[in-house]
Amino acid sequence: MALSEILDPPTPLTRLIGRERDIQEAVRLLTTDGRRLVTLTGPGGIGKTRLALAAARDLETSFPDGIAFVDLAPLRDPRLVISAIANALGIRDTGETPLRAKVTQALHHRQVLLLLDNVEQVVDAAADLSALLNASSVSILATSRVLLRIDGEQSVPLAPLASPAAVQLFLERARAVKPEFELTDDNAADVTAIVTALDNVPLPLELAAARLRVLTPKVLLERLERALPLLVDGARDRPERQRTLRATIDWSAQLLSDPERDLFLRMSVFRNGFSLDAAEWMCERSDAGSAVDLLAGLVESSLLQEQDRESRSWFSMLATVREYARDELESAGDLPKCRQRHAEFFSALAARAEPHLTSAGQSAWIARLNDEFEDIRAAADYYLAAGQHEAFADLVWPLYWFLWSTGRMREAEAWIARLTEVEDQLSDRTRFRAKMFNAGMTILEGPDPSRIPELEDCIAYFQREHDLPGEFLSQIAIGLLELMRGSSRLDIADRHLQRAREIAETLESPFLTSMALHIAGQVFLARGDARGAVEIFEASLQAAKDSGEVLSESAALFQLGWAMLLQGENVSASEFFVQQMRISSTVGHQQGIANGLDGMFAVAVAVGDFERAGRLLGAADEVRERKGLLPPAMLPYHQRVLAQVEGSPASEEFQIAREAGRHVDLVEVIEQALVSDRSSS
């Protein structure tokens, strides 16, 4: 049977941007690799159809018997797919022979490519398509938001565009509606922000560009906080489902089962992304079925994206998809209870994390909490706005060491300030925890004797309640404050630090022991006993290693570096600082990186390399300023080294290098700092 009247793929009227590699991959699979079923997958608006048309054009010579375009978007009945293919091939259903047999016969020995567009809503036709592939020589290039799951199928998942291509697409589509539009110094930042806000996805970018007929980029950006109502009125030659962004997403959502849709809407309360256990938590009270199965359905529908983060699966939604789902959740009246459930998940996560933040699992948990911090912040904001102050405290308190180690104490301080505004509504437990936290934060800014009575009140309360962790932090805070006040207060500091060590031993916590010894060693340094300090810091280092917690190990190494430097042991000091820097940079501890750069600065001064010293200190300054970290005010010996070099003949050279250090690549500076040969020679 001859093939006549094949429905050729339509010719796009606009240029495809940023998909060269994806086109090459699809073409390679269907030609060089001999694949006969390639499915382009991705969420609505990602550009599957447009890419398939471009690939088809490059495949014309490889399929001499033709390329037939089959638009399946209007279909809902999978049984009609073979009929749609027959129509595209020009095969008539005259009734004397089953249509399936006619199509198979027509394609039997011919090199034809079927371009099946929008397979997702008739995916149950997979068996018919598999039979057609097995009984003929046909190849298929499909576009779908879900895989067909046919043997031999090769998926080509489409990601959002790379940022430069996304900007280029936006500009080209903007000029189509406003020919005089140009990228300028005045609007470049707004254009980049628009592209980023829309996740670099082609359809939202095209719809947004169309709005430049009446809006400036600045105004458009301001209105993108609510993107779905704004992104309407796409090109009239687009299918109706693509005329607005909401319709495009709704098209996918309508294909979900009820349990899948329920979980899809619930997960929209997550600001960033979420892990498998979060999804299980959100559907725990539902009989919808396995969260794994439901997530698989959402990923296959391209409404969620999944990526592996070490040993964890991580799921995310495009921003516009999240907005759609959240709107639907709110319309159904379920948003408040889902936000409560979301906050409760992070309270439970914080409780799970707490023991690991001071033990061998610290790095993995810090990495996870970093991933989820946007949602931790959302949970904290929710509790405070809802007046659930005790729940807020139970969320934040277990994360104390995480907030400290990742340089987020300032944000936590702002949270606690909001809590103390309603002090009369707090339980004694929450009130004293907040008081201890606030007093501890102000100590880091400098010795303030007025805080001592508050801390003594905290100690008395925690002792009455047998709250040893709370008492430990309060004792450490007073010990540190007295240390900072000067030599006349060192005996008082010793007494509080000794009590802190007793608590650490009672709690059998190597981490807390290491911390107490860490500050006790500084008391020895303040007395001028560097050798005694080394013994204490070595004990602190051993306790840190016993705990398996790397940040206290880093802190002990840092103090050992200073103790060695003060004894003139430059080589040993450099070795300790290098070890400390390596740990801090590995785990991304910004305060530790800044401290390590300070230590390497002091070594460079000791060996007379003032240019290197300046660059290292400038880099440390930049880290502190960029991350809002505390200055090294607690290290008087650091200030002495700085005063020494500033008062030397090399002061000008040092200051020039220090300013230069603020502008060099930080990664490069750290890598250079980790090579200690030059500084220790």
Side-chain angles (χ1 to χ4, degrees), residues 123-169:
V123 73
D124 288 342
D128 289 338
L129 296 175
S130 178
L132 182 61
L133 286 165
N134 290 329
S136 71
S137 300
V138 74
S139 296
I140 296 175
L141 175 61
T143 73
S144 179
R145 303 183 192 187
V146 298
L147 290 172
L148 280 68
R149 296 196 175 280
I150 295 174
D151 285 345
E153 178 181 27
Q154 176 65 53
S155 171
V156 178
L158 300 191
L161 295 172
S163 294
V167 171
Q168 185 182 357
L169 174 65

Side-chain angles (χ1 to χ4, degrees), residues 439 441-452 477-478 480-486 489 633-634:
M441 280 299 299
T442 57
I443 287 171
L444 295 177
E445 298 171 359
D448 181 0
S450 68
R451 290 294 187 176
I452 292 178
I478 292 185
L480 190 55
L481 190 154
E482 298 291 10
L483 167 64
M484 295 170 66
R485 292 178 70 188
R489 312 294 295 182
M634 293 164 53

